[in-house]
């Protein structure tokens, strides 16, 4: 059979997940279709498992399934068949997994709308159990919590289960009236659950939200942490600027009374795209977090290619002075293939400076940058009478050049001296998305700023000051926008060091 020129052209023009310029090389994505929350993070029989909210039939959210990947080392992930399909209990909303030794158990929310117009005031959300002997094929065991602790509660989802003192413990997100709450249950067998208490509740919609999605409860450094995703919080200056938030409360949890004595809400990530983060305990004791690397209702240009959604890199959490630090798991260093550039102690003049090495201008879309800026030294600008430290300095990533030789496409990750914050500016990133986000004020004791930045084909993750703050955003540049520039605005920037490592692909996302 010979194909007509038209057919060949159509085939070439067809947009598929395989030919998407935004296909990620070392982040988890579905092979096709839609992904949102990470679910069921766990370590079971020598492998790490990650499940996720998945709609395989379209790149838009729809009837939820659980997609599934696993890995022996947290970097090379293998795709598996869909673990959970919608059934009698409804579609399969978020939840968690626990290893029972020879079996893997999933605890998830069965979701049904009771009216055809999908009115959120009329839903039935129940908690369900499924188990597997081979960690690939799951058998549904039915509904284990059929109704919430109060008959008028409709939003009742995202169970996170853990084992402690021979008992199973579960936290579930709830909307009670206009208040976000976390309900707490106990069980001896994962099947029959006792309601103990609501462990905590929001202090008001604007302050802490009307619904707490995806709760997670774990300990770090002797303190208990309640992580959750509040809906409805109002923006507050530089904080809480996404549609929904993701953050944590530090406190002390009493399993007897089910009461959580806590402090205020702290946002976990300060970029545009971070939500529904879940954690699990690795066998070596590390508490590892993975978030959804997107945001509800945000533009997703990758949808045109039949796929949407990705997960963040796995991050190790530590608690220092009641603040969570996030570090990319150490395994990620194995992704480093070669070093494009290794600069030490240079001063960058006002302007933007494309980075080159012996092979010419550095071109890459999958890399890690380690950048250390010495903010102590400031030099007067030569053509001005007043002394000026650089107002902003940092990097243009994924730069694309026009014919005039100017860059009209780039994502700017930098330090803003005037506000003492790191920012990610994606107003010129490429397609679809825009906006700028800032970290909290840095107040660096030694004025040495370290940034570790992971760039993949459509994402940027920034780890600031050894993970004290992180910023995660999706970007959608042209495939050939691959330049990298050091930038200094209105003054000299002192770069103590700058290393760029090429990162290999570790996931076949198709
Ligand atoms: C959070 C969330 C969860 C729910 C799931 C549905 O992003 O809304 O509360 O279980 O997504 O896909």
């Amino acid at each position: 059979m010979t194909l007509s020129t038209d057919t060949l052209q159509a085939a070439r023009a067809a947009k598929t997940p395989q030919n998407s310029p935004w296909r990620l090389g070392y982040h988890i994505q579905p092979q096709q279709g839609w992904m949102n929350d990470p679910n069921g993070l766990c370590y079971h029989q020598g492998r790490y498992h990650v499940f996720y909210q998945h709609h395989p039939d379209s790149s838009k959210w729809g009837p939820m399934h659980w997609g599934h990947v696993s890995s022996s080392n947290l970097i090379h992930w293998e795709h598996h068949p869909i673990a959970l399909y919608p059934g009698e209990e409804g579609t399969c909303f978020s939840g968690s997994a626990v290893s029972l030794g020879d079996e893997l158990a999933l605890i998830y929310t069965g979701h049904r709308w009771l009216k055809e117009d999908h009115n959120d005031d009329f839903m039935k959300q129940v908690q369900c159990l499924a188990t597997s002997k081979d960690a690939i094929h799951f058998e549904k065991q039915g509904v284990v919590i059929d109704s919430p602790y109060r008959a008028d509660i409709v939003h009742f989802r995202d169970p996170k289960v853990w084992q402690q003192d021979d008992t199973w413990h579960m936290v579930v997100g709830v909307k009670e009236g206009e208040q976000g709450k976390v309900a707490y249950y106990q069980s001896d067998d994962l099947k029959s659950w006792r309601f103990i208490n609501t462990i905590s509740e929001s202090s008001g919609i604007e302050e802490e939200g009307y619904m707490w999605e995806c709760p997670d409860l774990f300990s770090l450094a002797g303190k208990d942490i309640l992580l959750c995703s509040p809906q409805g919080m109002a923006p507050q200056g530089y904080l809480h600027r996404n549609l929904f938030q993701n953050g944590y409360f530090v406190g002390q949890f009493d399993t007897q009374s089910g009461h959580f004595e806590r402090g205020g809400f702290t946002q976990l990530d300060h970029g545009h795209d971070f939500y529904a983060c879940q954690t699990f305990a690795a066998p070596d004791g590390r508490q590892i977090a993975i978030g959804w690397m997107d945001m509800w209702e945000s533009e997703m240009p990758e949808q045109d290619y039949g796929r949407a959604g990705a997960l963040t890199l796995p991050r190790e959490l530590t608690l220092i002075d009641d603040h969570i630090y996030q570090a990319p798991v150490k395994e990620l260093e194995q992704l480093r293939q070669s070093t494009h550039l290794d600069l030490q102690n240079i001063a960058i003049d006002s302007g933007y400076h494309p980075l080159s090495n012996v092979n010419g201008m550095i071109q890459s879309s999958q890399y890690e940058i380690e950048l250390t800026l010495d903010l102590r030294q400031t030099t007067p600008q030569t053509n001005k009478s007043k002394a000026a430290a650089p107002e902003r300095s940092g990097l243009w990533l994924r730069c694309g050049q026009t014919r005039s030789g100017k860059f009209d496409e780039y994502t700017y990750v930098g330090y803003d001296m005037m506000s003492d914050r790191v920012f990610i500016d994606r107003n010129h990133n490429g397609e679809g998305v825009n906006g700028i986000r800032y970290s909290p004020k840095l107040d660096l004791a030694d004025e040495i700023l370290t940034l570790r930045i992971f760039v993949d084909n459509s994402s940027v993750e920034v780890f600031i000051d050894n993970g004290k703050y992180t910023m995660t955003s999706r970007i959608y540049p042209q495939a050939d926008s691959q330049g990298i520039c050091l930038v200094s605005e209105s003054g000299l920037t002192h770069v103590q060091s700058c290393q760029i490592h090429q990162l290999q692909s570790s996931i076949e996302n198709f």
Side-chain angles (χ1 to χ4, degrees):
M1 189 181 81
T2 48
L3 292 172
S4 72
T5 323
D6 280 359
T7 319
L8 282 172
Q9 267 170 358
R12 256 184 241 124
K15 293 180 169 178
T16 64
Q18 288 94 313
N19 65 22
S20 167
W22 303 308
R23 175 158 59 85
L24 294 164
Y26 59 96
H27 284 83
I28 299 169
Q29 274 195 306
Q31 288 169 298
Q32 92 273 326
W34 166 274
M35 158 193 277
N36 55 290
D37 314 354
N39 294 153
L41 307 188
C42 64
Y43 184 80
H44 173 70
Q45 291 181 338
R47 287 187 77 80
Y48 298 95
H49 291 264
V50 170
F51 300 84
Y52 55 88
Q53 289 286 278
H54 184 35
H55 184 213
D57 305 327
S58 115
S59 56
K60 301 222 160 63
W61 190 86
M64 281 292 105
H65 300 53
W66 274 36
H68 184 195
V69 293
S70 77
S71 167
S72 62
N73 60 8
L74 288 171
I75 46 176
H76 294 100
W77 295 93
E78 187 186 331
H79 284 275
H80 297 301
I82 288 172
L84 295 175
Y85 284 83
E88 272 172 29
E89 75 284 26
T91 61
C92 304
F93 271 20
S94 285
S96 49
V98 286
S99 173
L100 308 175
D102 54 350
E103 279 193 332
L104 183 59
L106 308 181
I107 305 95
Y108 64 99
T109 298
H111 159 86
R112 277 185 296 134
W113 275 296
L114 301 174
K115 296 201 166 182
E116 275 187 12
D117 64 357
H118 290 183
N119 183 331
D120 274 357
D121 292 334
F122 300 91
M123 304 188 295
K124 176 83 177 156
Q125 298 194 325
V126 294
Q127 314 318 321
C128 308
L129 177 69
T131 54
S132 171
K133 293 219 185 300
D134 62 3
I136 302 287
H137 305 93
F138 288 84
E139 207 173 305
K140 290 188 179 174
Q141 306 294 338
V143 173
V144 291
I145 305 180
D146 187 40
S147 40
Y149 57 91
R150 264 177 58 157
D152 58 340
I153 289 173
V154 174
H155 292 261
F156 177 54
R157 58 179 176 271
D158 312 335
K160 176 77 199 279
V161 174
W162 72 98
Q163 193 175 32
Q164 192 181 322
D165 306 329
D166 288 335
T167 300
W168 295 104
H169 305 252
M170 177 200 286
V171 284
V172 190
V174 171
K175 175 170 182 267
E176 194 183 306
E178 289 302 314
Q179 232 177 353
K181 294 196 178 188
V182 171
Y184 171 57
Y185 292 80
Q186 290 181 355
S187 168
D188 301 320
D189 57 6
L190 291 177
K191 288 181 181 144
S192 156
W193 291 89
R194 308 177 283 280
F195 171 69
I196 307 293
N197 204 351
T198 49
I199 70 165
S200 192
E201 58 194 41
S202 77
S203 59
I205 298 180
E206 299 225 323
E207 297 77 24
E208 292 178 347
Y210 57 76
M211 166 68 194
W212 285 358
E213 296 190 308
C214 303
D216 191 352
L217 190 72
F218 53 91
S219 302
L220 288 176
K223 297 278 178 74
D224 298 316
I225 312 290
L226 174 63
L227 174 67
C228 64
S229 294
Q231 295 178 298
M233 287 174 74
Q236 202 193 328
Y238 290 95
L239 296 173
H240 316 155
R241 303 212 65 89
N242 295 335
L243 179 64
F244 300 137
Q245 315 311 318
N246 192 196
Y248 62 93
F249 303 97
V250 180
Q252 220 63 55
F253 178 54
D254 176 18
T255 52
Q256 292 280 313
S257 64
H259 180 72
F260 182 56
E261 189 66 39
R262 67 166 173 91
F265 179 83
T266 304
Q267 191 173 327
L268 189 56
D269 186 280
H270 296 272
H272 299 83
D273 293 292
F274 188 85
Y275 195 63
C277 180
Q278 191 181 89
T279 74
F280 73 103
D284 58 8
R286 287 179 294 173
Q287 195 74 24
I288 296 176
I290 296 181
W292 179 34
M293 194 161 63
D294 288 284
M295 179 48 61
W296 288 111
E297 291 178 32
S298 150
E299 287 256 350
M300 299 178 182
E302 61 179 351
Q303 280 174 325
D304 288 352
Y305 290 82
R307 169 171 44 205
L311 302 184
T312 67
L313 294 174
R315 303 167 178 191
E316 181 182 351
L317 305 184
T318 47
L319 190 74
I320 302 174
D321 294 336
D322 282 0
H323 179 92
I324 292 185
Y325 281 62
Q326 300 172 67
V329 292
K330 61 178 186 306
E331 287 86 341
L332 287 161
E333 285 172 28
Q334 296 167 36
L335 288 180
R336 293 179 186 173
Q337 259 180 328
S338 56
T339 299
H340 285 300
L341 192 75
D342 189 356
L343 295 176
Q344 306 286 338
N345 289 318
I346 54 160
I348 299 293
D349 222 340
S350 284
Y352 61 89
H353 307 273
L355 294 177
S356 314
N357 57 22
V358 285
N359 302 316
M361 199 169 109
I362 296 169
Q363 296 277 318
S364 178
S365 60
Q366 277 180 216
Y367 52 89
E368 176 193 345
I369 298 190
E370 298 180 281
L371 177 69
T372 305
L373 298 181
D374 185 341
L375 307 173
R376 285 174 308 186
Q377 308 170 31
T378 58
T379 312
Q381 214 183 5
T382 44
N383 58 352
K384 296 257 171 72
S385 51
K386 268 200 319 194
E391 287 165 357
R392 305 198 299 175
S393 23
L395 292 153
W396 284 356
L397 307 166
R398 299 302 307 273
C399 303
Q401 218 157 9
T402 58
R403 270 200 217 114
S404 68
K406 288 224 163 87
F407 290 112
D408 61 353
E409 200 170 275
Y410 54 86
T411 295
Y412 191 178
V413 174
Y415 171 73
D416 177 311
M417 194 210 66
M418 297 158 286
S419 64
D420 187 27
R421 295 166 194 270
V422 170
F423 61 89
I424 175 159
D425 180 345
R426 61 175 187 182
N427 283 317
H428 307 277
N429 84 95
E431 283 185 40
V433 295
N434 52 31
I436 181 161
R437 290 286 180 274
Y438 288 85
S439 74
K441 224 169 164 332
L442 297 188
D443 283 328
L444 295 166
D446 55 3
E447 291 185 74
I448 303 292
L449 170 62
T450 62
L451 299 178
R452 231 177 126 186
I453 306 171
F454 288 83
V455 174
D456 203 339
N457 293 296
S458 55
S459 69
V460 179
E461 283 169 277
V462 187
F463 296 82
I464 304 161
D465 193 16
N466 297 310
K468 184 166 186 187
Y469 305 113
T470 62
M471 304 183 78
T472 304
S473 296
R474 296 298 300 273
I475 54 170
Y476 298 96
Q478 306 286 326
D480 58 0
S481 295
Q482 298 203 359
I484 307 171
C485 296
L486 272 170
V487 183
S488 185
E489 290 183 62
S490 319
L492 277 188
T493 296
H494 286 262
V495 176
Q496 199 175 76
S497 63
C498 177
Q499 270 115 32
I500 305 179
H501 311 283
Q502 177 69 19
L503 299 184
Q504 60 177 279
S505 293
S506 60
I507 310 170
E508 294 221 347
N509 278 325
F510 52 88

